[in-house]
Amino acid sequence: MPPAGIWIDGLVQSCIYMTMAFGMVLVFSILGILNWTHGQFYMLGAFVVYYAVTAAGVPFPLSLLISGVIVGALGMVVEKLVIERLTGPGYGLLAVTAATMALIFFFEGAAGMAFGLMAKGMATTLPGVLDMGSFSISYQKIAVIIFTLVIMVAMYIVLNRTKVGKAIRATAQQPDAASLYGVNVGWVSLIVMGIGCSLAAMAGGIMGPVQSVDPFMGRIPMIMSLLAIVIGGLGSLTGAIVGGIILGLLNSVIAYKISYFSEVALFLLVIVILLIRPQGLFGAAPK
Amino acid sequence: MLELKNVWIRYGKNVAVRKLTLTVNKGDFVTILGANGAGKSSTLNAISGLVKIKRGEIHFKGQKINGLKPGAIAARGIIQIPEGRKLFPLMSVMENLEMGAYLCKDTKRVRDSLEKVLTLFPVLKEKLGGKARELSGGQQQMLAIARGLMAIPELLMFDEPSLGLSPLLRQQLAEKIKEVSREGVTIVLVEQNARLGLMLATYGYVMENGQLVLQGKTSDLMQDEGVRKAYLGV
């Protein structure tokens, strides 16, 4: 059995993958596309928090919210200027896929020019550890876990209790009927892109003090959340959450057991899961 | 109330509807008959704004509505109950009904129409918390109509409501549609089951290959030799 610290590190990673995967699936369920540049919104969110805290002296929790708002708005701009123009009649999936992939390098390049390529360390915003006897957890990591719980509960309430949320679910399940009853599908697309990117940004922001901040930090979380989505079943929000938890924990535990070989083992495991359930754990069985 | 003037609908090179002109007056019960692919559903979708028309104009209560978004058309009181029901399968029955009233901001009005709708469809009352996809086929069709009524429509358009229902359920459905019509809602009913359409409606249009070939009172159409042969099988 790996020590508790390994599980906690895994859980912290789970939180990030879960939040990222949730946003990607939400966008996919409405727009029908994978936003390949999701990881760069994570990175930009971390930079917003970094500069808000270190340069402007904004309190950490407030700077998280600010990064969610700014990067969420940026996601809406991307939806309006890029994604909306490349979807719809006459366009295949390839155009919008290529465009969002190109944005990966655009955002990374832009961040590199603006903020420099060197990794920036951020002082711990929540110093101290919680002593649990045989092991201890830093408050910073506890913050990540609590933050994720709050986000997930908030998302549950928004999707199930509010009119906007019901419009989002209705559009995901039956877009034609939703528009017949007055839901503006273009507007819903904009909203979910804003929510998805805002979640990614806040996930990046909360990890700022745990890791370091650099223009390429979005790549690994992006790949991992993609894997989480594939394991959980593309299109299922529950799947994104469970996939994220499984992946974060496994990644940490496997790395502890066999270090360098860990990614190989992880991908092997994903392949095995997909061999047994090609639609993912929570995906609908193909008709 | 509803007027289609010289309407053309095209999907790429295929013409789905050509030169269609038809009128529906307030309080009417109109049916559009025709074989599969005659252009009936395309016509309804064009009225609802889901499909763009290539030529012609659609007017509702004297105002041009072609070119408006589906939501804007729904807001004017034209509600379609689409073919295959198109319920929100993973949402509860109650949420499906709420979505029907999505555009209505007056909560008291929503509550009133909910009460009215549940009186008309008592079977839904016991299922409000259950998911739409857990309902039987007949109940799903009832929910589709109930959701449509929640929008408080002035013009209600049915696309193949009897599809996939047993004769008994079809009979129940017909009763419900009649009741809705008696409430004063103007109805356009598209049916492949010509017998059902002619039995319920007072005026009928017959479409073939995207064109209007015949129209008249349903009592006259039922006597028409061509209609009897082609659609009633007698």
Short mmCIF file of all heavy atoms in Angstrom, two decimals, chain A residues 159-161 163-167 169-171 173-184 187-188, chain B residues 48 50 70-71 74 79-82 86-91 95 98-100 102-104 144 147-148:
data_model
loop_
_atom_site.label_atom_id
_atom_site.label_comp_id
_atom_site.label_asym_id
_atom_site.label_seq_id
_atom_site.Cartn_x
_atom_site.Cartn_y
_atom_site.Cartn_z
N LEU A 159 -26.79 23.30 -13.20
CA LEU A 159 -27.35 22.47 -14.28
C LEU A 159 -28.74 21.94 -13.95
O LEU A 159 -29.54 21.71 -14.84
CB LEU A 159 -26.42 21.29 -14.59
CG LEU A 159 -25.14 21.66 -15.36
CD1 LEU A 159 -24.26 20.44 -15.53
CD2 LEU A 159 -25.47 22.25 -16.71
N ASN A 160 -29.02 21.72 -12.66
CA ASN A 160 -30.29 21.07 -12.32
C ASN A 160 -31.35 22.01 -11.77
O ASN A 160 -32.53 21.68 -11.79
CB ASN A 160 -30.05 19.95 -11.31
CG ASN A 160 -29.35 18.77 -11.96
OD1 ASN A 160 -29.96 18.05 -12.74
ND2 ASN A 160 -28.08 18.62 -11.68
N ARG A 161 -30.92 23.16 -11.24
CA ARG A 161 -31.90 24.00 -10.56
C ARG A 161 -32.19 25.32 -11.27
O ARG A 161 -33.16 25.97 -10.95
CB ARG A 161 -31.43 24.30 -9.13
CG ARG A 161 -31.28 23.07 -8.25
CD ARG A 161 -32.60 22.68 -7.60
NE ARG A 161 -32.41 21.52 -6.75
CZ ARG A 161 -32.55 20.26 -7.17
NH1 ARG A 161 -32.86 20.01 -8.44
NH2 ARG A 161 -32.36 19.25 -6.34
N LYS A 163 -32.69 27.96 -14.68
CA LYS A 163 -33.26 27.94 -16.02
C LYS A 163 -32.18 27.77 -17.09
O LYS A 163 -32.34 27.01 -18.04
CB LYS A 163 -34.03 29.24 -16.24
CG LYS A 163 -35.03 29.14 -17.36
CD LYS A 163 -36.05 30.26 -17.34
CE LYS A 163 -36.98 30.09 -18.52
NZ LYS A 163 -38.09 31.01 -18.54
N VAL A 164 -31.06 28.49 -16.89
CA VAL A 164 -29.94 28.36 -17.83
C VAL A 164 -29.47 26.91 -17.89
O VAL A 164 -29.27 26.35 -18.96
CB VAL A 164 -28.76 29.25 -17.40
CG1 VAL A 164 -27.60 29.11 -18.36
CG2 VAL A 164 -29.17 30.69 -17.29
N GLY A 165 -29.31 26.32 -16.71
CA GLY A 165 -28.83 24.94 -16.64
C GLY A 165 -29.76 23.98 -17.34
O GLY A 165 -29.32 23.07 -18.06
N LYS A 166 -31.06 24.18 -17.14
CA LYS A 166 -32.02 23.30 -17.80
C LYS A 166 -31.97 23.49 -19.30
O LYS A 166 -32.09 22.53 -20.07
CB LYS A 166 -33.42 23.55 -17.25
CG LYS A 166 -33.59 22.95 -15.86
CD LYS A 166 -34.92 23.28 -15.24
CE LYS A 166 -34.91 22.83 -13.78
NZ LYS A 166 -36.16 23.15 -13.09
N ALA A 167 -31.78 24.74 -19.72
CA ALA A 167 -31.66 24.99 -21.17
C ALA A 167 -30.42 24.29 -21.72
O ALA A 167 -30.45 23.73 -22.82
CB ALA A 167 -31.58 26.49 -21.43
N ARG A 169 -28.99 21.51 -20.49
CA ARG A 169 -29.23 20.07 -20.56
C ARG A 169 -30.19 19.72 -21.69
O ARG A 169 -29.99 18.75 -22.42
CB ARG A 169 -29.78 19.57 -19.22
CG ARG A 169 -28.69 19.42 -18.17
CD ARG A 169 -29.26 19.36 -16.78
NE ARG A 169 -30.16 18.23 -16.58
CZ ARG A 169 -31.34 18.31 -15.95
NH1 ARG A 169 -31.75 19.46 -15.46
NH2 ARG A 169 -32.08 17.24 -15.81
N ALA A 170 -31.23 20.53 -21.84
CA ALA A 170 -32.20 20.27 -22.91
C ALA A 170 -31.51 20.34 -24.27
O ALA A 170 -31.73 19.49 -25.14
CB ALA A 170 -33.35 21.28 -22.84
N THR A 171 -30.65 21.34 -24.46
CA THR A 171 -29.96 21.49 -25.74
C THR A 171 -29.03 20.31 -25.99
O THR A 171 -28.93 19.82 -27.12
CB THR A 171 -29.17 22.81 -25.77
OG1 THR A 171 -30.04 23.88 -25.41
CG2 THR A 171 -28.59 23.07 -27.15
N GLN A 173 -29.44 17.29 -24.94
CA GLN A 173 -30.18 16.06 -25.19
C GLN A 173 -30.97 16.10 -26.50
O GLN A 173 -31.16 15.08 -27.15
CB GLN A 173 -31.15 15.79 -24.02
CG GLN A 173 -30.42 15.42 -22.75
CD GLN A 173 -31.36 15.38 -21.55
OE1 GLN A 173 -32.55 15.11 -21.69
NE2 GLN A 173 -30.83 15.66 -20.38
N GLN A 174 -31.44 17.27 -26.88
CA GLN A 174 -32.36 17.34 -28.02
C GLN A 174 -32.37 18.78 -28.56
O GLN A 174 -33.31 19.54 -28.31
CB GLN A 174 -33.76 16.92 -27.52
CG GLN A 174 -34.77 16.64 -28.55
CD GLN A 174 -34.33 15.68 -29.61
OE1 GLN A 174 -33.92 16.13 -30.66
NE2 GLN A 174 -34.42 14.38 -29.37
N PRO A 175 -31.30 19.14 -29.31
CA PRO A 175 -31.15 20.54 -29.72
C PRO A 175 -32.33 21.09 -30.53
O PRO A 175 -32.73 22.23 -30.34
CB PRO A 175 -29.86 20.55 -30.54
CG PRO A 175 -29.49 19.13 -30.76
CD PRO A 175 -30.18 18.31 -29.73
N ASP A 176 -32.88 20.27 -31.43
CA ASP A 176 -33.99 20.76 -32.25
C ASP A 176 -35.19 21.15 -31.40
O ASP A 176 -35.78 22.21 -31.56
CB ASP A 176 -34.43 19.70 -33.27
CG ASP A 176 -33.61 19.80 -34.54
OD1 ASP A 176 -32.76 20.71 -34.62
OD2 ASP A 176 -33.81 18.97 -35.44
N ALA A 177 -35.55 20.23 -30.48
CA ALA A 177 -36.70 20.51 -29.63
C ALA A 177 -36.43 21.72 -28.75
O ALA A 177 -37.30 22.56 -28.54
CB ALA A 177 -37.04 19.29 -28.78
N ALA A 178 -35.19 21.82 -28.25
CA ALA A 178 -34.87 22.98 -27.40
C ALA A 178 -35.09 24.28 -28.16
O ALA A 178 -35.70 25.22 -27.65
CB ALA A 178 -33.43 22.88 -26.90
N SER A 179 -34.64 24.32 -29.42
CA SER A 179 -34.82 25.58 -30.15
C SER A 179 -36.28 25.80 -30.53
O SER A 179 -36.73 26.93 -30.60
CB SER A 179 -33.89 25.67 -31.36
OG SER A 179 -34.10 24.59 -32.21
N LEU A 180 -37.02 24.70 -30.73
CA LEU A 180 -38.45 24.85 -31.01
C LEU A 180 -39.17 25.53 -29.84
O LEU A 180 -40.18 26.20 -30.03
CB LEU A 180 -39.10 23.49 -31.26
CG LEU A 180 -39.02 22.91 -32.66
CD1 LEU A 180 -39.66 21.54 -32.70
CD2 LEU A 180 -39.69 23.83 -33.66
N TYR A 181 -38.68 25.32 -28.63
CA TYR A 181 -39.34 25.92 -27.47
C TYR A 181 -38.66 27.21 -27.02
O TYR A 181 -38.92 27.68 -25.92
CB TYR A 181 -39.46 24.89 -26.34
CG TYR A 181 -40.50 23.88 -26.72
CD1 TYR A 181 -40.16 22.63 -27.23
CD2 TYR A 181 -41.85 24.21 -26.66
CE1 TYR A 181 -41.12 21.74 -27.65
CE2 TYR A 181 -42.82 23.33 -27.09
CZ TYR A 181 -42.44 22.10 -27.58
OH TYR A 181 -43.41 21.24 -28.03
N GLY A 182 -37.79 27.73 -27.88
CA GLY A 182 -37.31 29.08 -27.63
C GLY A 182 -35.91 29.18 -27.05
O GLY A 182 -35.46 30.28 -26.75
N VAL A 183 -35.20 28.06 -26.89
CA VAL A 183 -33.82 28.15 -26.41
C VAL A 183 -32.95 28.63 -27.58
O VAL A 183 -33.02 28.08 -28.67
CB VAL A 183 -33.30 26.79 -25.92
CG1 VAL A 183 -31.84 26.89 -25.53
CG2 VAL A 183 -34.14 26.30 -24.75
N ASN A 184 -32.17 29.66 -27.33
CA ASN A 184 -31.25 30.15 -28.34
C ASN A 184 -29.96 29.33 -28.25
O ASN A 184 -29.14 29.52 -27.36
CB ASN A 184 -30.98 31.64 -28.08
CG ASN A 184 -30.07 32.23 -29.13
OD1 ASN A 184 -29.36 31.53 -29.84
ND2 ASN A 184 -30.09 33.55 -29.21
N TRP A 187 -26.61 31.04 -28.13
CA TRP A 187 -26.34 31.65 -26.82
C TRP A 187 -25.90 30.58 -25.82
O TRP A 187 -24.96 30.80 -25.05
CB TRP A 187 -27.63 32.34 -26.38
CG TRP A 187 -27.60 32.93 -25.02
CD1 TRP A 187 -27.03 34.12 -24.66
CD2 TRP A 187 -28.18 32.37 -23.83
NE1 TRP A 187 -27.22 34.32 -23.32
CE2 TRP A 187 -27.92 33.28 -22.78
CE3 TRP A 187 -28.89 31.20 -23.55
CZ2 TRP A 187 -28.34 33.05 -21.49
CZ3 TRP A 187 -29.31 30.98 -22.26
CH2 TRP A 187 -29.04 31.89 -21.24
N VAL A 188 -26.54 29.41 -25.86
CA VAL A 188 -26.15 28.31 -24.96
C VAL A 188 -24.71 27.88 -25.26
O VAL A 188 -23.93 27.62 -24.34
CB VAL A 188 -27.12 27.11 -25.09
CG1 VAL A 188 -26.58 25.89 -24.37
CG2 VAL A 188 -28.48 27.48 -24.52
N SER B 48 -41.74 26.57 -38.60
CA SER B 48 -41.11 26.71 -37.27
C SER B 48 -39.75 27.40 -37.34
O SER B 48 -39.16 27.71 -36.31
CB SER B 48 -40.91 25.34 -36.64
OG SER B 48 -42.13 24.84 -36.17
N LEU B 50 -36.97 25.99 -38.48
CA LEU B 50 -35.84 25.04 -38.40
C LEU B 50 -35.19 24.86 -39.76
O LEU B 50 -34.04 24.49 -39.87
CB LEU B 50 -36.32 23.68 -37.88
CG LEU B 50 -36.70 23.58 -36.40
CD1 LEU B 50 -37.24 22.19 -36.09
CD2 LEU B 50 -35.50 23.89 -35.51
N PRO B 70 -36.04 29.96 -34.74
CA PRO B 70 -37.11 29.11 -34.18
C PRO B 70 -37.68 29.66 -32.87
O PRO B 70 -38.88 29.64 -32.67
CB PRO B 70 -36.41 27.77 -33.95
CG PRO B 70 -35.28 27.75 -34.91
CD PRO B 70 -34.84 29.18 -35.07
N GLY B 71 -36.80 30.18 -32.02
CA GLY B 71 -37.24 30.71 -30.73
C GLY B 71 -38.18 31.89 -30.90
O GLY B 71 -39.18 32.02 -30.19
N ALA B 74 -41.50 30.61 -32.06
CA ALA B 74 -42.22 30.01 -30.93
C ALA B 74 -42.81 31.10 -30.04
O ALA B 74 -43.93 30.98 -29.55
CB ALA B 74 -41.27 29.12 -30.12
N ILE B 79 -46.23 26.65 -32.19
CA ILE B 79 -45.50 25.58 -31.51
C ILE B 79 -45.65 24.29 -32.30
O ILE B 79 -46.74 23.92 -32.74
CB ILE B 79 -46.06 25.39 -30.08
CG1 ILE B 79 -45.78 26.64 -29.23
CG2 ILE B 79 -45.46 24.15 -29.43
CD1 ILE B 79 -44.33 26.95 -28.98
N GLN B 80 -44.53 23.61 -32.48
CA GLN B 80 -44.56 22.34 -33.19
C GLN B 80 -44.31 21.18 -32.23
O GLN B 80 -43.46 21.27 -31.36
CB GLN B 80 -43.46 22.32 -34.27
CG GLN B 80 -43.54 21.08 -35.10
CD GLN B 80 -42.35 20.85 -36.03
OE1 GLN B 80 -42.01 19.73 -36.35
NE2 GLN B 80 -41.71 21.92 -36.47
N ILE B 81 -45.10 20.12 -32.40
CA ILE B 81 -44.82 18.89 -31.67
C ILE B 81 -44.16 17.96 -32.69
O ILE B 81 -44.82 17.43 -33.56
CB ILE B 81 -46.11 18.31 -31.09
CG1 ILE B 81 -46.64 19.30 -30.05
CG2 ILE B 81 -45.87 16.94 -30.47
CD1 ILE B 81 -48.01 19.03 -29.57
N PRO B 82 -42.83 17.85 -32.59
CA PRO B 82 -42.08 17.26 -33.71
C PRO B 82 -42.27 15.76 -33.85
O PRO B 82 -42.70 15.07 -32.92
CB PRO B 82 -40.63 17.60 -33.36
CG PRO B 82 -40.61 17.78 -31.90
CD PRO B 82 -41.96 18.26 -31.48
N LYS B 86 -39.27 13.82 -29.81
CA LYS B 86 -38.12 14.64 -29.41
C LYS B 86 -38.23 15.20 -28.00
O LYS B 86 -38.04 16.38 -27.76
CB LYS B 86 -37.89 15.77 -30.42
CG LYS B 86 -37.56 15.21 -31.79
CD LYS B 86 -36.68 16.14 -32.58
CE LYS B 86 -36.07 15.42 -33.77
NZ LYS B 86 -36.32 16.06 -35.04
N LEU B 87 -38.55 14.34 -27.07
CA LEU B 87 -38.55 14.74 -25.66
C LEU B 87 -37.11 14.89 -25.20
O LEU B 87 -36.19 14.45 -25.89
CB LEU B 87 -39.26 13.67 -24.82
CG LEU B 87 -40.73 13.46 -25.14
CD1 LEU B 87 -41.25 12.24 -24.42
CD2 LEU B 87 -41.54 14.68 -24.75
N PHE B 88 -36.93 15.48 -24.02
CA PHE B 88 -35.60 15.52 -23.42
C PHE B 88 -35.49 14.27 -22.55
O PHE B 88 -35.99 14.25 -21.43
CB PHE B 88 -35.44 16.81 -22.61
CG PHE B 88 -35.74 18.04 -23.42
CD1 PHE B 88 -36.81 18.85 -23.10
CD2 PHE B 88 -34.96 18.36 -24.52
CE1 PHE B 88 -37.10 19.98 -23.86
CE2 PHE B 88 -35.24 19.49 -25.28
CZ PHE B 88 -36.31 20.29 -24.95
N PRO B 89 -34.85 13.20 -23.07
CA PRO B 89 -35.01 11.87 -22.47
C PRO B 89 -34.50 11.76 -21.04
O PRO B 89 -35.10 11.04 -20.24
CB PRO B 89 -34.20 10.98 -23.41
CG PRO B 89 -33.26 11.88 -24.12
CD PRO B 89 -33.97 13.20 -24.24
N LEU B 90 -33.43 12.48 -20.71
CA LEU B 90 -32.84 12.32 -19.38
C LEU B 90 -33.37 13.35 -18.38
O LEU B 90 -32.97 13.36 -17.22
CB LEU B 90 -31.31 12.44 -19.46
CG LEU B 90 -30.65 11.40 -20.36
CD1 LEU B 90 -29.17 11.68 -20.53
CD2 LEU B 90 -30.86 10.00 -19.79
N MET B 91 -34.27 14.19 -18.84
CA MET B 91 -34.87 15.16 -17.92
C MET B 91 -36.19 14.58 -17.41
O MET B 91 -36.81 13.74 -18.06
CB MET B 91 -35.08 16.49 -18.61
CG MET B 91 -33.77 17.15 -19.03
SD MET B 91 -33.97 18.64 -20.01
CE MET B 91 -34.05 19.90 -18.74
N GLU B 95 -39.56 18.56 -15.76
CA GLU B 95 -38.61 19.44 -16.45
C GLU B 95 -38.95 19.58 -17.93
O GLU B 95 -38.80 20.65 -18.52
CB GLU B 95 -37.18 18.92 -16.29
CG GLU B 95 -36.59 19.17 -14.92
CD GLU B 95 -35.22 18.56 -14.74
OE1 GLU B 95 -34.96 17.46 -15.28
OE2 GLU B 95 -34.39 19.17 -14.06
N GLU B 98 -41.60 22.07 -18.02
CA GLU B 98 -41.03 23.40 -17.79
C GLU B 98 -40.36 23.95 -19.05
O GLU B 98 -40.47 25.13 -19.36
CB GLU B 98 -39.97 23.35 -16.68
CG GLU B 98 -40.55 23.28 -15.28
CD GLU B 98 -39.46 23.02 -14.22
OE1 GLU B 98 -38.26 23.05 -14.56
OE2 GLU B 98 -39.84 22.78 -13.08
N MET B 99 -39.69 23.06 -19.78
CA MET B 99 -39.03 23.50 -21.00
C MET B 99 -40.06 23.97 -22.04
O MET B 99 -39.78 24.83 -22.84
CB MET B 99 -38.16 22.39 -21.59
CG MET B 99 -36.85 22.15 -20.88
SD MET B 99 -35.87 23.63 -20.59
CE MET B 99 -35.49 24.14 -22.27
N GLY B 100 -41.24 23.36 -22.00
CA GLY B 100 -42.30 23.81 -22.90
C GLY B 100 -42.65 25.27 -22.64
O GLY B 100 -42.94 26.02 -23.56
N TYR B 102 -40.61 27.51 -21.56
CA TYR B 102 -39.32 28.20 -21.43
C TYR B 102 -39.43 29.71 -21.67
O TYR B 102 -38.79 30.50 -21.01
CB TYR B 102 -38.33 27.58 -22.42
CG TYR B 102 -36.94 28.16 -22.36
CD1 TYR B 102 -36.06 27.78 -21.36
CD2 TYR B 102 -36.51 29.09 -23.30
CE1 TYR B 102 -34.79 28.31 -21.30
CE2 TYR B 102 -35.23 29.62 -23.25
CZ TYR B 102 -34.37 29.23 -22.24
OH TYR B 102 -33.11 29.75 -22.19
N LEU B 103 -40.26 30.09 -22.65
CA LEU B 103 -40.33 31.50 -23.02
C LEU B 103 -41.26 32.31 -22.13
O LEU B 103 -41.29 33.53 -22.20
CB LEU B 103 -40.76 31.64 -24.48
CG LEU B 103 -39.72 31.24 -25.51
CD1 LEU B 103 -40.37 31.14 -26.88
CD2 LEU B 103 -38.58 32.23 -25.54
N CYS B 104 -42.05 31.62 -21.32
CA CYS B 104 -43.05 32.31 -20.52
C CYS B 104 -42.42 32.77 -19.20
O CYS B 104 -41.94 31.97 -18.42
CB CYS B 104 -44.23 31.39 -20.25
SG CYS B 104 -45.59 32.24 -19.47
N ALA B 144 -45.30 14.79 -25.03
CA ALA B 144 -44.90 15.69 -26.13
C ALA B 144 -45.99 16.74 -26.37
O ALA B 144 -45.70 17.92 -26.56
CB ALA B 144 -44.62 14.90 -27.39
N ARG B 147 -46.13 19.11 -23.33
CA ARG B 147 -45.03 20.08 -23.38
C ARG B 147 -45.37 21.19 -24.38
O ARG B 147 -45.12 22.37 -24.11
CB ARG B 147 -43.74 19.37 -23.81
CG ARG B 147 -42.54 20.28 -23.84
CD ARG B 147 -41.27 19.56 -24.27
NE ARG B 147 -41.38 19.03 -25.63
CZ ARG B 147 -40.39 18.39 -26.26
NH1 ARG B 147 -39.25 18.18 -25.65
NH2 ARG B 147 -40.55 17.94 -27.49
N GLY B 148 -45.95 20.80 -25.51
CA GLY B 148 -46.35 21.80 -26.50
C GLY B 148 -47.39 22.76 -25.93
O GLY B 148 -47.32 23.97 -26.15
#
